């Protein structure tokens, strides 16, 4: 079976990996490059039980376990367990975390090495694509601009890529926030892009494996919620500052909002003297894909054969990619997922987006 996967973010790549493990021919079609969007610029933080009590719990727990297995498959993926703390700007609190400023108070431990872990998002996504390729998957660079239907129009039989027709037995839309483009081709619910900013510092061995979720006053007023993730490669990632800036149609045009990186740099300097003095090696922005009800869309496109969607993973796309990929492989090849119940994520639960509302100028 030949499956065309539109989008080479972590979700599309995970689907390709699990399909290729099962002997299917997976073709990833990617417009800019593997992991060039959110899947290469996110935090890469993973948690076993932070989705408990929500409909994501089963997907998240399965994914957390699969990430530990994939550490052997993707040696450059930066997987490690870490300890996670929550805190706020202010004096006092426990001095459990020694590398942060006296102006940050640690309030509580949010996770242990049994419940929290991390990956390097770009390293993981690109490494998983290489693992898929080792099992026969292929990468096709190009922009998907439409789908091919059979004569009765009730079955999708391929995709249009840079004006060329590519045939496939099934097509998966996994273009992150750009999956909204597919609402013009399929009866799919809306997917929106929520922008976030991040900076990365070269911190060497000055920062131990301690992740931080903080509430910090900004120098110019207001409160930010930075997340800080030291990585095994001697870098430390800091993200904060969401915005509702519009999603550009071309993923290569995503850029930080004016002033956002200066604000984030000031926040990082306030968190730790190590960050204040370290060289900054990346300053970037990306869009997380979100849906109307906050749950991902994982399943068959309503009313059509051969068309599937996997997107809308919001703040947990890196965590939930492996179980999404595994479940999608089951759905496409066997007609159902054995490991995770996909019913809560059925794309048919939300009404289709009216593509007439969509403007690309
Ligand atoms: C600041 C920030 C921090 C985050 N931190 C975490 C975290 O710590 N843990 C976690 O689990 N999640 C985190 N996330 C969320 C996570 O990054 C996303 O949920 C995940 O990356 C989404 O993956 P995706 O494959 O759906 O989409 P993307 O990574 O956006 O991939 C979509 C791909 O589709 C391609 N594409 C677009 N249009 C076309 C087209 N027409 N033809 C072909 N290809 C196309 C794009 O080029 C892109 O490569 C974070 C997100 C942000 C923004």
């Amino acid at each position: 079976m030949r499956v065309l996967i539109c989008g080479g973010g972590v979700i599309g790549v995970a689907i390709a990996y699990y399909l290729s493990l099962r002997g299917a021919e997976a073709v990833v079609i990617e417009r800019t490059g593997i992991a060039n969007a959110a899947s290469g610029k996110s935090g890469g933080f993973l948690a076993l039980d932070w989705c408990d009590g929500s409909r994501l719990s089963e997907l998240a727990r399965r994914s957390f376990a699969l990430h530990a297995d994939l550490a052997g498959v993707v040696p450059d993926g930066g997987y490690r367990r870490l300890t996670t703390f929550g805190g706020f700007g202010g004096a006092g609190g426990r001095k459990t975390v020694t590398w942060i400023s006296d102006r940050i108070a640690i309030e509580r431990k949010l996770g242990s090495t049994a419940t929290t872990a991390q990956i390097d998002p770009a390293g993981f996504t690109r490494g998983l694509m290489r693992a898929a390729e080792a099992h026969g998957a292929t990468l096709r660079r190009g922009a998907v601009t439409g789908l091919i239907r059979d004569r009765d129009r009730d079955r999708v039989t391929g995709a249009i890529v840079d004006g060329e027709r590519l045939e496939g037995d099934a097509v998966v839309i996994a273009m992150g926030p750009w999956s909204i483009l597919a609402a013009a081709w399929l009866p799919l619910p809306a997917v929106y892009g929520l922008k976030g900013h991040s900076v990365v510092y070269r911190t060497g061995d000055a920062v131990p494996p301690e992740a931080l979720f903080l509430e910090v006053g900004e120098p110019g007023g207001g409160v930010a919620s930075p997340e800080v993730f030291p990585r095994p490669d001697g870098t430390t990632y800091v993200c904060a500052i969401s915005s509702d800036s519009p999603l550009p149609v071309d993923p290569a045009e995503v850029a930080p909002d004016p002033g956002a990186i200066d604000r984030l740099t000031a926040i990082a300097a306030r968190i730790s003297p190590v960050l204040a003095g370290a060289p900054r090696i990346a300053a970037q922005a990306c869009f997380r894909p979100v849906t109307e009800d906050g749950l991902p869309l994982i399943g068959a496109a309503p009313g059509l054969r051969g068309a599937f969607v996997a997107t809308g993973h919001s703040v947990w796309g890196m965590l939930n990619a492996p179980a999404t990929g595994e479940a999608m492989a089951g759905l496409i090849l066997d007609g159902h997922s054995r490991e995770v119940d996909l019913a809560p994520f059925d794309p048919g639960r939300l009404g289709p987006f009216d593509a007439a509302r969509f403007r690309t100028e």
Side-chain angles (χ1 to χ4, degrees):
M1 186 180 207
R2 177 174 155 94
V3 184
L4 307 182
I5 299 154
C6 309
V10 72
I11 300 298
V13 165
I15 295 167
Y17 174 72
Y18 285 101
L19 279 170
S20 66
L21 271 192
R22 297 196 46 194
E25 183 189 350
V27 181
V28 175
I29 307 162
E30 165 55 45
R31 179 167 176 162
T32 64
I34 298 292
N36 276 5
S39 300
K41 294 172 181 156
S42 80
F45 179 78
L46 315 173
L48 170 71
D49 52 3
W50 290 23
C51 296
D52 282 4
S54 84
R55 306 203 79 178
L56 284 173
S57 172
E58 190 188 14
L59 190 73
R61 282 180 168 269
R62 175 74 186 158
S63 264
F64 192 80
L66 288 175
H67 269 292
D69 297 343
L70 289 172
V73 175
V74 188
D76 302 335
Y79 178 86
R80 73 173 170 183
R81 304 286 184 131
L82 36 58
T83 311
T84 303
F85 297 96
F88 55 90
R94 289 177 282 148
K95 279 316 296 175
T96 340
V97 177
T98 53
W99 55 277
I100 54 173
S101 148
D102 289 341
R103 292 178 297 181
I104 302 294
I106 292 301
E107 190 183 26
R108 63 200 169 106
K109 187 170 162 181
L110 299 173
S112 69
T113 51
T115 60
T116 55
Q118 69 180 151
I119 48 170
D120 166 48
F124 174 78
T125 306
R126 292 177 188 142
L128 195 60
M129 185 64 210
R130 283 193 296 276
E133 286 170 323
H135 289 281
T138 53
L139 171 63
R140 163 73 192 257
R141 279 290 296 273
V144 181
T145 55
L147 299 182
I148 307 170
R149 301 273 192 101
D150 68 0
R151 197 175 311 143
D152 298 332
R153 300 195 58 76
D154 64 351
R155 184 175 183 89
V156 171
T157 59
I160 317 270
V161 183
D162 290 339
E164 191 187 322
R165 292 165 67 88
L166 277 194
E167 306 288 336
D169 302 299
V171 177
V172 184
I173 303 298
M175 302 192 300
W178 293 277
S179 301
I180 188 72
L181 296 170
W185 317 327
L186 299 169
L188 291 181
V191 183
Y192 305 98
L194 183 61
K195 194 170 188 177
H197 295 82
S198 56
V199 286
V200 184
Y201 295 93
R202 186 160 302 292
T203 47
D205 56 6
V207 183
E210 295 171 336
L212 305 177
F213 286 75
L214 303 172
E215 300 288 325
V216 178
E218 282 203 59
V223 176
S225 304
E227 299 173 8
V228 184
F229 305 126
R231 291 178 171 160
D233 65 356
T235 63
T236 297
Y237 171 99
V238 184
C239 69
I241 307 181
S242 294
S243 92
D244 54 8
S245 301
L247 178 78
V249 172
D250 185 349
E253 287 177 9
V254 174
D257 289 355
I261 296 301
D262 287 346
R263 280 173 60 200
L264 187 49
T265 303
I267 291 167
R270 192 164 259 225
I271 293 171
S272 167
V274 177
L275 300 177
R280 196 179 73 195
I281 58 171
Q284 57 205 8
C286 61
F287 285 83
R288 52 183 75 100
V290 295
T291 61
E292 294 280 3
D293 64 2
L295 292 175
L297 310 172
I298 310 174
L304 275 170
R305 289 179 295 145
F308 299 84
V309 62
T311 188
H313 290 72
S314 188
V315 297
W316 288 120
M318 303 311 303
L319 169 65
N320 286 329
T324 298
E326 182 187 55
M328 284 296 292
L331 183 65
I332 294 166
L333 300 178
D334 309 326
H336 64 278
S337 152
R338 267 183 304 153
E339 296 83 7
V340 172
D341 178 14
L342 291 180
F345 315 123
D346 180 3
R349 74 186 186 277
L350 300 169
F353 180 70
D354 177 6
R357 287 171 53 200
F358 187 58
R359 293 184 326 191
T360 55
E361 73 271 20

